[in-house]
Amino acid sequence: MFQLEEMLMLPFCRHKNTGNLCSRTPPMPKSLQILINPPSSAGNTKALAEMFHSNTNTVDSLLGSYAVYKINPSTTTNPDKEAEADGKGIFFLENQLPVGRTLKVNEILKTMNKASFLPRQIAQSIPFSSRKFPEIFNYFSVEPNSNEADLIKQTIQNCEIPAMKGEQRYCATSLESLIDWTVSKLGKNIQVLSNYVEEETENRVFAIARVAKKVGETEMVCHKLKYAYAVFLCHSIEKTTAYTVPLVSADGSTKAKLLAICHEDTSAWSPDHLAFQILKVKPGTVPVCHFLTKETLVWVPK
């Protein structure tokens, strides 16, 4: 296992007085800054309740597990319709990103949840397995038949889905375990990317400002899942390319960059996956691309 301070090729350090993590080579993505300096509320029952009641976004159910497609019906009143509405702004074909095209990025830039990482020692002391649901419910003081319990089950079961052909996957319950896994697959000379918006704006209509830039063909994509503390489903899939897409708001006042992933081979995906319904294509026929949500982290070699 690597200690963050010892990973000299990674842009991390610790503040001498506070012990909080910082960046050696700014700017560190804002989504990562929030995760590594957790608020005191991280990992409590209130976080689970707020997450359930304040967010019915289904985008996180569309990404990360392609071989098994499942929307949790208990987290939305009309899962199929809401998933389709969210997915239309997420999935696209390789030729569908011409300069000047307008995008509605409400779902892409929406904060899914505010849960932050627990220290590794604490995270490792908390059960995280479908075989230990009673212990987990007891730890968080959650009723077994509650909505919060359903949320716990969905996340853990998602983490336990077997890797499909050509995929490596792992659920990280701490920043240290996320780093360990990523370094074991990509090496130390890596950088982390996330979506970027110049400033918060109510204007969610943007236009593609320049041609998308390829940033990696060997990457580790880490999707944030809904849980009482930060849990990331990290996976790497063969024949996948990562891009950054430069955007500018409709009024020209705000710049942004979105991360997108294109999967060349989708033959192992579930034929019921929403991407195929939206794009009107079949598994394994054409590359399928999608934007990544606000809190997704993408690790690529420098």
Side-chain angles (χ1 to χ4, degrees), residues 234-273:
C234 297
H235 64 159
S236 178
I237 302 176
E238 294 177 356
K239 299 181 180 179
T240 298
T241 304
Y243 294 89
T244 57
V245 183
L247 305 178
V248 63
S249 60
D251 59 8
S253 63
T254 306
K255 294 180 181 179
K257 281 187 180 180
L258 295 185
L259 290 170
I261 296 289
C262 287
H263 301 275
E264 183 179 334
D265 183 5
T266 60
S267 58
W269 290 28
S270 166
D272 296 325
H273 198 282

Side-chain angles (χ1 to χ4, degrees), residues 6-55:
E6 296 170 354
M7 299 171 62
L8 299 179
M9 300 304 295
L10 290 176
F12 298 113
C13 58
R14 282 194 188 274
H15 289 294
K16 186 175 181 180
N17 295 329
T18 65
N20 286 340
L21 291 168
C22 58
S23 173
R24 295 185 190 279
T25 54
M28 181 188 293
K30 185 177 180 181
S31 55
L32 188 54
Q33 292 179 31
I34 295 171
L35 287 166
I36 63 180
N37 294 318
S40 57
S41 60
N44 63 24
T45 308
K46 183 181 178 182
L48 269 174
E50 289 180 348
M51 199 179 304
F52 180 87
H53 291 294
S54 67
N55 196 325

Side-chain angles (χ1 to χ4, degrees), residues 1 47 81 90 112 115 141 143 161 209 229 231 241:
M1 294 187 295
K81 281 193 175 182
I90 296 291
M112 186 173 73
S141 301
E143 292 294 327
I161 293 172
Y229 52 89
V231 173
T241 304

Side-chain angles (χ1 to χ4, degrees), residues 86-122:
D86 292 346
K88 283 182 177 178
I90 296 291
F91 296 102
F92 60 92
L93 300 177
E94 277 188 308
N95 62 356
Q96 293 180 331
L97 287 182
V99 174
R101 177 188 169 182
T102 57
L103 303 170
K104 293 183 179 180
V105 297
N106 295 54
E107 297 303 323
I108 301 170
L109 296 179
K110 181 185 292 184
T111 298
M112 186 173 73
N113 67 71
K114 297 179 180 179
S116 50
F117 278 124
L118 294 175
R120 191 202 313 244
Q121 296 87 342
I122 297 176

Side-chain angles (χ1 to χ4, degrees), residues 136-151:
I136 298 171
F137 299 155
N138 182 62
Y139 182 91
F140 290 116
S141 301
V142 166
E143 292 294 327
N145 296 321
S146 66
N147 292 328
E148 290 77 17
D150 286 344
L151 201 60

Side-chain angles (χ1 to χ4, degrees), residues 207-226:
I208 298 175
R210 296 190 303 280
V211 175
K213 178 183 177 182
K214 183 186 296 185
V215 293
E217 293 182 330
T218 304
E219 67 284 320
M220 184 67 65
V221 180
C222 297
H223 304 276
K224 191 177 186 185
L225 304 181
K226 294 180 181 179

